[in-house]
Amino acid sequence: MNFVFPPRAVPYLRILAQDEVYPVARIFCVGRNYVAHAAEMGGEVDREAPWYFTKSPHALAQCHQTLPYPPGTNNYHHEIELVVALGEEVFCADQNAANAAIFGYACGLDMTRRDRQQDGKDHRRPWDLGKDVENSAVVGPITPVSNGSDLLGRRISLNVNDELRQDGSLDDMVWSCAEIISHLSRYYHLGPGDIVMTGTPAGVGPVQVGDVVRGEITGLAPVMVTIGPAEA
């Protein structure tokens, strides 16, 4: 079989202290998984079940880069999130099986064209222009679960130019990682290469050209990116 043009390179994430890398197949994102963030966005948490949106794998970006301010927005927002990387196949799984399928965790930034997202909300249209943005899934190195699987009490925070913007605890997540993966596996055959961005605490806000954004979760490698000028 011959391709009419060379296929894109497989996007990947680095693994802490390893030479091997983690190829990314799909990016799932959980909406409104922190009560205070849902409130600041003018909504409420749906406690019946988690809900999702997606980003294209090629929205993935490595941290410690300068990434261009995206086109089509004047209101580009930061959102710090815990990222879960799967290492085993899972389908219609209970929470124990879902938890066992986790390969590792990472810090991530779900960067968002907030004005384009609001357009979608206002007109009852999809959020793709707001969320599925090139370079908008910035993820730090994965820490394998054997190096730190207990998430209880871990702080999650974000600074812009050393100013604290977001500060919370993973205990504040409405839906745990195991609950999310178990629920999501009712609708998809999940497996190695699938990552889940699990939602953001309150305090999201805009970034400007020149800003240095740094997100941290206790015990995980931080994620950091510099916002560069828009491309001509």
Side-chain angles (χ1 to χ4, degrees):
M1 179 172 59
N2 296 317
F3 295 109
V4 296
F5 53 83
R8 291 188 178 189
V10 176
Y12 65 88
L13 293 173
R14 300 191 184 281
I15 304 171
L16 194 65
Q18 294 187 22
D19 293 330
E20 294 179 314
V21 297
Y22 179 94
V24 174
R26 293 182 290 187
I27 303 173
F28 297 96
C29 306
V30 182
R32 296 180 184 172
N33 200 27
Y34 290 76
V35 173
H37 171 61
E40 75 178 349
M41 300 305 296
E44 296 181 355
V45 168
D46 183 351
R47 295 185 180 274
E48 181 177 347
W51 56 274
Y52 314 96
F53 57 93
T54 61
K55 290 177 180 274
S56 304
H58 295 285
L60 193 71
Q62 305 289 332
C63 65
H64 299 289
Q65 294 190 77
T66 297
L67 299 175
Y69 195 94
T73 183
N74 293 308
N75 197 20
Y76 197 43
H77 277 211
H78 59 75
E79 297 187 14
I80 176 66
E81 310 208 357
L82 171 69
V83 179
V84 182
L86 296 184
E88 297 181 11
E89 294 184 358
V90 56
F91 180 63
C92 293
D94 62 21
Q95 291 182 36
N96 288 332
N99 195 59
I102 295 173
F103 173 81
Y105 302 104
C107 292
L109 301 175
D110 169 17
M111 304 298 293
T112 303
R113 290 182 181 122
R114 191 68 71 200
D115 41 4
R116 300 287 74 83
Q117 182 190 31
Q118 190 61 50
D119 286 346
K121 292 179 180 180
D122 291 345
H123 295 91
R124 301 178 64 84
R125 295 171 181 167
W127 292 4
D128 294 38
L129 287 180
K131 286 292 191 178
D132 194 6
V133 181
E134 293 169 348
N135 298 314
S136 67
V138 188
V139 183
I142 298 172
T143 298
V145 291
S146 59
N147 295 350
S149 57
D150 184 2
L151 300 176
L152 292 176
R154 295 200 188 195
R155 184 189 184 198
I156 178 171
S157 61
L158 181 138
N159 287 266
V160 177
N161 302 327
D162 296 323
E163 174 192 351
L164 184 63
R165 295 276 190 90
Q166 294 182 261
D167 193 12
S169 170
L170 296 185
D171 292 353
D172 296 332
M173 290 199 302
V174 175
W175 303 99
S176 70
C177 297
E179 288 172 324
I180 290 166
I181 294 166
S182 174
H183 182 262
L184 192 58
S185 78
R186 301 177 194 174
Y187 302 95
Y188 297 93
H189 289 79
L190 303 176
D194 291 333
I195 67 173
V196 182
M197 306 187 79
T198 60
T200 193
V204 301
V207 296
Q208 308 297 331
V209 173
D211 283 349
V212 177
V213 183
R214 180 183 175 89
E216 298 184 9
I217 297 172
T218 304
L220 303 181
V223 60
M224 186 169 68
V225 69
T226 300
I227 306 301
E231 294 177 331

